[in-house]
């Protein structure tokens, strides 16, 4: 047998597959949490879940990742006086310098774990153009990995589906990534792409990304409207599975009646992120970091500990700079509260839903129905916007009040004066772990067929493994 080990290190999960090139067959798969504090742990957990009898037969190791992209999106930038601007070429040069340590550390972690498992296959990295490069190329040009993860997932969907014309919708923890397949071919181009509002030059697949994922924050805005995103948080149910103290803290540490918050949310909890120098922090911020060093705590537990107004904690700065991670209510919690998913702590998901429902003066069932509609409608909107983008239209539907009025009428099934239809002419192939729970109703709303292929949940690792055999064309 000639075997390839495919590994994708994502923002939420690290996926691994072993692929038999001669039999054209996925032999085994695994999915484990990405451990940002120590990447080796998550990678090792993913490999440990694969049968060790295959290790000695692995000839190649193909990698993909979203670590560099997430670094940019989370605005975890070095404070060195240089700033990204509107010049794509200049931005590309700066980003190459800034994300080089991210890619270098990731590759060191990969190689360390491979050595531990005595896996000696040759190492390659999938780049944004859908081709494989060696370790030195990746370190010399780290921006070429920026769309590595989404490209791997699309290539996996291309391999797994028998169709030749379709939309790929990959719903992960952080984003929904959408692209189109036409005539059995992926289309790449050398162009300026925007990542985190920063234009850069890439030879890349035409992928549209939207902040709709299993870990996207569900919250009320300042006028009490329920919103999704754009930020990613750690789901309550996931965090509580490891730190059961969070359930009691959310239950027992509550806001006083009539108290209104403006800079935080009642379901918020916080956990220490990557340890950095604390020289730039205030004395109080250092105290908060020390208090959270053992385990995460809820917002009101932290406020009670320090005897301070919860809204005066101002922990968003520590979150924005990566010192802390926010834990809060997400679509993953919605699924647990509804009983459709049970991998993590269902009890805290239901408690979070009750807290959120009470905040909006809804019943729990009403609130969860609203959440389902919110997530589905955001996915439908993302598909609609991506189709316009694929048609080379340079506009955002949200910039036009008239267009938004019509789209909202279309999305709202309870309209009495008028109704609209919007059908897409291609089927949807859904990928990513959360897609099994959301994409079928999205396809139905869009009047099209839906396919959930086998191994949909590890399509990115499969795409990395089969990358050399994928058909591509280039637009110039």
């Amino acid at each position: 047998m000639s075997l390839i080990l495919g590994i994708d290190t994502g923002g939420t999960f690290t996926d691994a597959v072993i692929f038999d090139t001669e039999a054209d067959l996925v032999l085994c798969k695994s999915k484990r949490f990405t451990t940002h504090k120590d990447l080796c742990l998550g990678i090792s957990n993913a490999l440990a879940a694969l049968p060790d009898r295959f290790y000695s037969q692995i000839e190649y190791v193909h990698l993909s990742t979203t670590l560099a992209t997430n670094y940019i999106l989370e605005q975890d930038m070095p404070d060195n006086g240089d700033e990204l601007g509107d010049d794509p070429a200049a931005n590309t040069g700066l980003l190459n310098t800034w994300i080089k340590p991210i890619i270098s550390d990731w590759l060191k972690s990969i190689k360390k774990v491979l050595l531990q498992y005595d896996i000696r296959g040759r190492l390659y990295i999938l780049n944004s153009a859908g081709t494989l490069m060696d370790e030195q190329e990746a370190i010399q040009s780290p921006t070429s990995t920026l769309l590595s993860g989404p490209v791997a997932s699309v290539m996996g969907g291309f391999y797994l589906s028998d169709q030749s014309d379709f939309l790929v919708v990959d719903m992960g923890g952080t984003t929904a990534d959408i692209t189109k397949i036409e005539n059995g071919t992926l289309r790449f181009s050398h162009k300026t792409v925007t990542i985190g509002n920063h234009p850069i030059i890439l030879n890349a697949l035409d992928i549209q990304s939207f902040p709709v994922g299993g870990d996207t924050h569900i919250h009320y805005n300042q006028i009490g409207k329920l919103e999704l995103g754009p930020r990613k948080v750690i789901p309550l149910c996931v965090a509580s599975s490891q730190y059961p103290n969070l359930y009691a803290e959310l239950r027992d540490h509550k806001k006083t009646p009539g108290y209104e918050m403006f800079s935080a949310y009642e379901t918020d909890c916080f956990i220490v992120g990557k340890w950095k120098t604390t020289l730039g922090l205030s004395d109080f911020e250092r105290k908060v970091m020390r208090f959270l060093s053992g385990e995460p705590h809820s917002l009101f537990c932290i406020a009670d500990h320090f005897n301070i107004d919860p809204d005066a904690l101002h922990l968003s700065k520590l979150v924005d700079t990566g010192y802390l991670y926010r834990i809060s209510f997400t679509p993953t919690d919605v699924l647990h509260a509804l009983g459709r998913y049970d991998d993590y702590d269902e009890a805290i998901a239901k408690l979070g839903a009750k807290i959120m429902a009470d905040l909006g003066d809804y019943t729990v069932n009403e609130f969860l129905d609203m959440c389902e509609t919110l997530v589905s409608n955001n996915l439908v909107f993302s598909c609609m916007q991506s189709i316009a983008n694929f048609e080379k239209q340079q506009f955002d539907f949200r910039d036009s009040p008239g267009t938004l009025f019509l789209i909202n009428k279309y999305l709202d099934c309870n309209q009495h004066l008028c109704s609209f239809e919007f059908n897409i002419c291609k089927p949807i192939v859904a990928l990513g772990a959360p897609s099994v729970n959301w994409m079928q109703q999205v396809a139905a709303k869009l009047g099209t067929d839906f396919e959930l292929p086998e191994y949909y949940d590890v399509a990115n690792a499969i795409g990395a493994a089969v990358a050399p055999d994928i058909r591509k064309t280039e637009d110039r």
Side-chain angles (χ1 to χ4, degrees):
M1 288 189 294
S2 177
L3 304 185
I4 296 176
L5 171 62
I7 304 174
D8 176 82
T9 308
T12 304
F13 290 106
T14 293
D15 299 340
V17 301
I18 295 179
F19 185 79
D20 185 338
T21 60
E22 295 176 2
D24 192 28
L25 182 68
V26 177
L27 298 179
C28 51
K29 68 171 185 175
S30 69
K31 178 183 286 286
R32 295 295 184 269
F33 281 113
T34 298
T35 49
H36 291 275
K37 293 181 182 179
D38 179 6
L39 291 174
C40 289
L41 180 59
I43 297 164
S44 179
N45 290 340
L47 294 190
L50 302 175
D52 58 5
R53 67 181 183 274
F54 294 127
Y55 291 172
S56 63
Q57 302 174 68
I58 294 172
E59 295 185 11
Y60 300 96
V61 179
H62 293 179
L63 310 175
S64 60
T65 187
T66 59
L67 291 177
T69 303
N70 293 343
Y71 178 79
I72 297 170
L73 293 177
E74 291 165 8
Q75 298 179 337
D76 195 9
M77 297 296 186
D79 185 11
N80 58 7
D82 293 320
E83 292 185 1
L84 297 174
D86 297 326
D87 183 348
N91 288 344
T92 304
L94 281 174
L95 287 175
N96 266 322
T97 300
W98 290 350
I99 66 178
K100 185 174 182 178
I102 305 297
I103 297 302
S104 180
D105 289 347
W106 168 60
L107 289 173
K108 287 178 182 176
S109 298
I110 291 281
K111 293 197 299 181
K112 181 179 178 180
V113 175
L114 292 176
L115 184 62
Q116 291 173 352
Y117 287 85
D118 197 27
I119 296 175
R120 302 180 180 275
R122 293 183 61 183
L123 194 67
Y124 291 97
I125 300 95
L126 182 66
N127 63 24
S128 301
T131 58
L132 296 172
M133 55 185 177
D134 61 28
E135 178 184 358
Q136 285 306 116
E137 290 177 293
I139 292 175
Q140 290 171 3
S141 179
T143 53
S144 61
T145 70
L146 285 174
L147 294 181
S148 169
V151 168
S153 190
V154 170
M155 286 187 160
F158 184 93
Y159 170 80
L160 293 169
S161 177
D162 293 329
Q163 303 189 63
S164 59
D165 288 87
F166 56 95
L167 282 185
V168 176
V169 181
D170 175 21
M171 186 181 182
T174 307
T175 61
D177 301 316
I178 304 173
T179 193
K180 63 175 179 176
I181 309 294
E182 288 187 317
N183 301 318
T185 302
L186 298 174
R187 189 167 295 278
F188 291 74
S189 61
H190 189 74
K191 60 181 181 179
T192 298
V193 299
T194 301
I195 297 179
N197 297 320
H198 308 302
I200 62 172
I201 298 173
L202 278 182
N203 189 28
L205 181 66
D206 188 5
I207 295 177
Q208 310 294 323
S209 294
F210 302 87
V212 188
D215 299 348
T216 307
H217 193 192
I218 295 177
H219 59 96
Y220 294 104
N221 65 16
Q222 293 298 324
I223 60 172
K225 180 182 178 182
L226 194 65
E227 291 189 341
L228 180 69
R231 291 184 177 272
K232 170 187 174 178
V233 297
I234 299 172
L236 286 169
C237 57
V238 173
S240 184
S241 294
Q242 186 173 356
Y243 301 100
N245 63 295
L246 292 178
Y247 178 87
E249 291 185 10
L250 275 188
R251 182 193 62 201
D252 299 336
H253 295 265
K254 300 179 180 179
K255 71 174 187 176
T256 57
Y259 177 81
E260 292 188 12
M261 291 189 298
F262 299 95
S263 63
Y265 308 94
E266 193 168 346
T267 53
D268 282 358
C269 306
F270 298 89
I271 188 172
V272 170
K274 296 179 182 179
W275 277 104
K276 310 175 182 181
T277 175
T278 59
L279 292 177
L281 301 183
S282 67
D283 289 341
F284 178 71
E285 288 170 335
R286 292 193 189 96
K287 290 178 182 178
V288 171
M289 294 290 290
R290 285 194 293 271
F291 178 59
L292 294 172
S293 61
E295 61 184 2
H297 293 289
S298 73
L299 174 71
F300 285 91
C301 176
I302 299 170
D304 289 347
H305 176 80
F306 290 104
N307 193 26
I308 189 174
D309 187 303
D311 220 27
L313 284 169
H314 299 303
L315 298 182
S316 293
K317 173 190 171 184
L318 292 175
V319 173
D320 293 341
T321 51
Y323 285 97
L324 297 180
Y325 296 142
R326 190 188 304 269
I327 301 165
S328 204
F329 199 76
T330 68
T332 301
D333 294 299
V334 172
L335 295 175
H336 279 78
L338 289 167
R340 297 179 190 168
Y341 200 50
D342 60 2
D343 279 11
Y344 309 112
D345 185 0
E346 182 179 303
I348 199 171
K350 290 182 176 180
L351 175 60
K354 177 67 166 60
I355 292 171
M356 292 289 287
D358 289 345
L359 285 172
D361 198 22
Y362 302 108
T363 68
V364 171
N365 287 337
E366 287 172 339
F367 171 73
L368 291 173
D369 285 345
M370 290 170 60
C371 288
E372 280 197 277
T373 300
L374 179 70
V375 176
S376 296
N377 282 354
N378 270 269
L379 287 166
V380 170
F381 180 88
S382 299
C383 291
M384 296 172 71
Q385 181 67 66
S386 69
I387 289 170
N389 295 345
F390 293 142
E391 294 288 341
K392 309 300 182 185
Q393 301 300 311
Q394 301 298 318
F395 57 77
D396 189 322
F397 288 151
R398 292 166 296 187
D399 293 336
S400 168
T403 302
L404 269 185
F405 171 82
L406 295 177
I407 290 176
N408 287 332
K409 292 290 184 183
Y410 160 68
L411 293 175
D412 187 350
C413 299
N414 299 313
Q415 295 292 333
H416 300 294
L417 292 177
C418 60
S419 64
F420 300 91
E421 290 188 5
F422 184 98
N423 297 328
I424 63 175
C425 302
K426 295 179 182 292
I428 289 176
V429 173
L431 307 174
S435 62
V436 65
N437 294 291
W438 301 104
M439 288 309 304
Q440 187 166 9
Q441 62 198 83
V442 170
K445 180 69 176 177
L446 290 167
T448 191
D449 294 330
F450 163 81
E451 179 186 351
L452 188 74
E454 186 179 13
Y455 302 118
Y456 69 92
D457 56 334
V458 291
N460 36 21
I462 293 173
V466 304
D469 298 321
I470 296 296
R471 289 178 56 203
K472 300 174 293 180
T473 63
E474 290 199 11
D475 275 341
R476 292 290 182 182

